[in-house]
Amino acid sequence: MRATGLERFDGLADRFLADIEPLKEAGALVVGIYCTFAPVELVRAAGAVPVGLCGKKQAPIPAAERTLPANLCPLIKSSYGYAVTGTCPNFAASDLLVGETTCDGKKKMYEHLSKVKPLHLMHLPAATGAAQDAYWRDEVRRFQEFLEAATGNTITPEALGAEIRIQNEVRRLLARLLSTSAGTCLPISGLDMMLVSEAKSFCADPYAYAATLRDLLAELDALVAAGQSCVGSKARRILLTGCPVGRGSEKVVELVEQSGGVVVAAENCSGVKNFDLLVDETGDPLTAIAKRYLRIPCSVMTPNAGRFALLDRLTREFRPHGVIDLTWQCCHTYNVEAPLVKAHMLETHGLPTLHIETDYSESDTEQLRTRVEAFLELL
């Protein structure tokens, strides 16, 4: 059984262009974002509209490989392929781009991308601490200055505070939605939770998005109270970790749920990492924003203890039967962490982990199906 409120999210990303049309006519700029490290609060406080541009489909990759090496992760190639083929309407609608120095592949891809559209690059430190906090705050301030110059609008503390509050509310609602799957009755599948979370990157109005989340939450709570689950009682509960997924790159999540499992939580930057941490609403807003975003436990951080702490918390809350660690091919930072994750989950929680390395194509789908089915049977 699927909650009827999910129908409102099915076409939310596709309605983005229609939603921003009156805003663009009024002079608002659209800022294309490629990573969760880019502070959306600043973009909105500048009177601009953020939109997610991270590539999640196979189609534009061949065009990207005319410039980029084939042995690069599909997320990077897909993102660049959309830019050079003109096949992503959200990229076409973007007036400015913001990148971040996470992995080496993305850093170098941004050099090519900056020739297509104006691009601001945020230089991300690879660790957290007092010195890194101060450095990153300067980068956030530099991003603020870029946005003010581009839009002609001053980002006031009042406007920034308002954006912090609504983004925190959205994060709380998404966390509350996910928590409905912590019990034995699961009112939402992993695929649908992915759809709802991904829609955050394609909403022109965060207040309207929050209202839609509240409506869905009320329905999910009612389903749980009535004992109505979207999966059978024998479904194996899976904690997904690793690289981000979305529409077009959801094949592993789809295979899990076609094979009798259910993804109860996704610890990745398209899932929990995207809404787990809140911005402190007291004190200097720029400092609070910088601190929140630098604590995202991405695999580019070293050491990356935050990822293991988050996995521990999700394991305690959602009680998975097993873990699937998804790595896109040639994503070296996540690949290096894979054996560490596997050992940690087994030694700390007694949970087996299936590590899958794949790309966006469908060529290995049946091989993956066999591996996923065998893993679920093992559980």
Side-chain angles (χ1 to χ4, degrees):
M1 177 180 177
R2 188 174 190 251
T4 57
L6 289 165
E7 295 173 5
R8 297 170 65 182
F9 292 89
D10 287 331
L12 199 61
D14 299 323
R15 295 195 298 272
F16 175 77
L17 292 176
D19 291 341
I20 64 169
E21 189 173 343
L23 301 176
K24 286 183 73 72
E25 289 176 355
L29 299 182
V30 175
V31 179
I33 289 177
Y34 286 93
C35 185
T36 54
F37 282 108
V40 295
E41 292 89 348
L42 281 169
V43 176
R44 293 195 183 275
V49 183
V51 62
L53 295 180
C54 187
K56 296 170 184 172
K57 293 186 179 180
Q58 172 69 18
I61 288 179
E65 289 178 343
R66 299 189 194 112
T67 302
L68 303 178
N71 60 340
L72 198 59
C73 98
L75 185 150
I76 298 172
K77 292 188 292 185
S78 181
S79 299
Y80 184 68
Y82 273 130
V84 295
T85 59
T87 52
C88 175
N90 290 336
F91 183 88
S94 298
D95 302 288
L96 311 166
L97 309 174
V98 56
E100 70 309 309
T101 56
T102 49
C103 72
D104 290 340
K106 286 183 79 175
K107 282 191 290 190
K108 303 309 288 185
M109 184 269 286
Y110 289 134
E111 294 181 15
H112 292 286
L113 202 55
S114 64
K115 300 172 185 175
V116 183
K117 287 200 175 188
L119 183 144
H120 177 83
L121 189 63
M122 301 183 75
H123 293 269
L124 181 75
T128 59
Q132 290 84 359
D133 283 346
Y135 173 87
W136 182 239
R137 187 191 183 283
D138 283 343
E139 283 299 296
V140 173
R141 178 188 50 76
R142 199 168 62 86
F143 184 42
Q144 174 181 340
E145 293 169 352
F146 167 79
L147 290 168
E148 289 177 332
T151 62
N153 299 324
T154 299
I155 298 176
T156 65
E158 293 75 19
L160 201 50
E163 295 303 331
I164 287 172
R165 288 189 291 275
I166 183 57
Q167 291 302 320
N168 276 348
E169 176 64 8
V170 165
R171 292 176 184 123
R172 291 187 189 98
L173 287 167
L174 285 169
R176 179 69 182 83
L177 275 170
L178 182 64
S179 72
T180 61
S181 294
T184 54
C185 179
L186 277 73
I188 186 169
S189 69
L191 279 170
D192 279 331
M193 188 63 209
M194 180 198 77
L195 177 73
V196 172
S197 177
E198 187 179 44
K200 178 176 178 289
S201 300
F202 304 105
C203 65
D205 181 355
Y207 294 92
Y209 177 63
T212 308
L213 291 176
R214 289 188 198 98
D215 291 343
L216 178 60
L217 179 56
E219 184 181 3
L220 296 186
D221 282 340
L223 289 174
V224 171
Q228 297 184 37
S229 181
C230 68
V231 296
S233 59
K234 295 183 178 180
R236 300 292 86 186
R237 302 166 67 93
I238 296 297
L239 172 59
L240 180 70
T241 184
C243 294
V245 296
R247 293 191 308 166
S249 62
E250 73 273 36
K251 67 178 180 182
V252 171
V253 180
E254 201 167 50
L255 285 172
V256 168
E257 301 197 338
Q258 287 174 351
S259 303
V262 59
V263 173
V264 290
E267 181 278 331
N268 54 30
C269 57
S270 55
V272 174
K273 285 178 186 174
N274 192 27
F275 54 80
D276 182 54
L277 302 171
L278 301 180
V279 176
D280 184 4
E281 297 181 18
T282 64
D284 176 54
L286 212 62
T287 300
I289 286 172
K291 189 170 184 178
R292 183 266 171 192
Y293 280 86
L294 192 58
R295 266 55 182 182
I296 297 171
C298 178
S299 66
V300 298
M301 293 294 174
T302 182
N304 189 23
R307 182 182 181 190
F308 297 94
L310 181 55
L311 284 168
D312 290 343
R313 178 154 54 87
L314 293 175
T315 298
R316 289 192 298 269
E317 183 176 355
F318 292 93
R319 298 169 294 104
H321 297 109
V323 180
I324 291 183
D325 186 4
L326 169 63
T327 304
W328 297 128
Q329 283 179 359
C330 302
C331 181
H332 301 310
T333 56
Y334 272 105
N335 242 339
V336 169
E337 283 192 355
L340 302 176
V341 168
K342 185 174 185 176
H344 176 81
M345 297 310 291
L346 187 60
E347 293 167 7
T348 307
H349 302 287
L351 291 177
T353 298
L354 173 64
H355 180 229
I356 292 176
E357 185 179 3
T358 184
D359 59 11
Y360 286 0
S361 74
E362 298 297 318
S363 60
D364 62 348
T365 299
E366 294 311 312
Q367 289 178 324
L368 290 179
R369 187 188 306 278
T370 300
R371 293 183 63 198
V372 167
E373 288 176 348
F375 182 66
L376 294 177
E377 272 196 43
L378 171 71
L379 302 180

